[in-house]
Amino acid sequence: MKSADKQVSDREIDALELLVPAQARKATLSAYFRALSVSQRGVLCMDEGSLVRVSQDGSKTLVAQGSLVARSRLERSLPCVELKSKR
């Protein structure tokens, strides 16, 4: 590392690491909406443990029934679930 490079403190790294989940969520939602806007057949996602196809108009078609196992933390944060909660 060059002497001109800025040394980053542990506190600054911790603060930056706290931003990662929100940035990842924004990127995921952006990709989801981009895919939804260009796909004629819709986008596949998980909704309450089942695989559904979401169309551009927001309608959902069940593709595969899921089990009644509790949803994971990741699944609860997927865009399909987010869209459901906004309607």
Side-chain angles (χ1 to χ4, degrees), residues 1-86:
M1 185 169 6
K2 299 177 193 174
S3 61
D5 289 342
K6 179 182 176 186
Q7 295 291 332
V8 181
S9 71
D10 286 342
R11 177 181 264 176
E12 290 171 315
I13 290 173
D14 290 343
L16 290 172
E17 286 176 344
L18 290 175
L19 299 176
V20 171
Q23 292 298 320
R25 183 165 182 76
K26 285 180 187 179
T28 302
L29 285 172
S30 175
Y32 173 80
F33 287 123
R34 194 174 327 116
L36 193 58
S37 71
V38 299
S39 174
Q40 295 176 354
R41 298 183 68 196
V43 176
L44 293 176
C45 61
M46 296 298 294
D47 187 8
E48 296 183 10
S50 296
L51 183 64
V52 297
R53 182 183 314 278
V54 180
S55 301
Q56 289 179 344
D57 66 2
S59 63
K60 295 179 182 179
T61 304
L62 181 65
V63 175
Q65 183 68 42
S67 66
L68 298 176
V69 176
R71 292 179 298 163
S72 69
R73 185 172 161 199
L74 172 63
E75 184 183 323
R76 287 192 302 265
S77 67
L78 290 174
C80 188
V81 177
E82 178 68 24
L83 288 175
K84 180 181 177 195
S85 66
K86 287 184 177 179

